[in-house]
Amino acid sequence: MRAKANRVKAEALNEATRLRMEAESEADAVRSRARIDAERMRDEARLDVDRLDDVRTRTQSEIRRMAKVLLASVGSDGTLGGEPPLGEPIE
């Protein structure tokens, strides 16, 4: 009777150990997938920041270019390309 109880106890311990190892393996897999997903999301965020920085740089360059064109078209009398100054009626 005692031998049977020891055998049942050993089988239960073996099963518990197997289940624990399986659970640990699954947890490791989940952690690994989470780490990979986090790294992918971080890389995507960095790309988004780089794209936004490129857009900002291009927009600033375009604004500077338009400002230079606008300033170059202002005449010595303060008119814009021969037009009357803003706010003055056209005759």
Side-chain angles (χ1 to χ4, degrees), residues 8-87:
V8 169
K9 182 179 175 181
E11 288 174 4
L13 285 173
N14 286 339
E15 181 66 9
T17 300
R18 184 189 68 76
L19 290 173
R20 182 179 47 89
M21 291 175 70
E22 186 178 302
E24 287 174 356
S25 177
E26 288 178 23
D28 288 344
V30 167
R31 280 191 293 271
S32 178
R33 283 193 303 270
R35 186 174 25 260
I36 289 168
D37 287 346
E39 289 171 358
R40 179 184 48 79
M41 291 168 61
R42 185 194 65 221
D43 291 344
E44 288 174 357
R46 284 181 179 161
L47 287 173
D48 288 345
V49 167
D50 289 345
R51 285 187 207 114
L52 288 172
D53 192 44
D54 289 344
V55 168
R56 180 184 55 82
T57 301
R58 285 194 311 267
T59 302
Q60 287 175 338
S61 295
E62 184 66 15
I63 290 170
R64 284 188 202 102
R65 186 191 65 75
M66 289 188 302
K68 287 178 184 177
V69 168
L70 186 60
L71 287 173
S73 65
V74 174
S76 60
D77 60 354
T79 60
L80 185 61
E83 297 291 322
L86 294 176

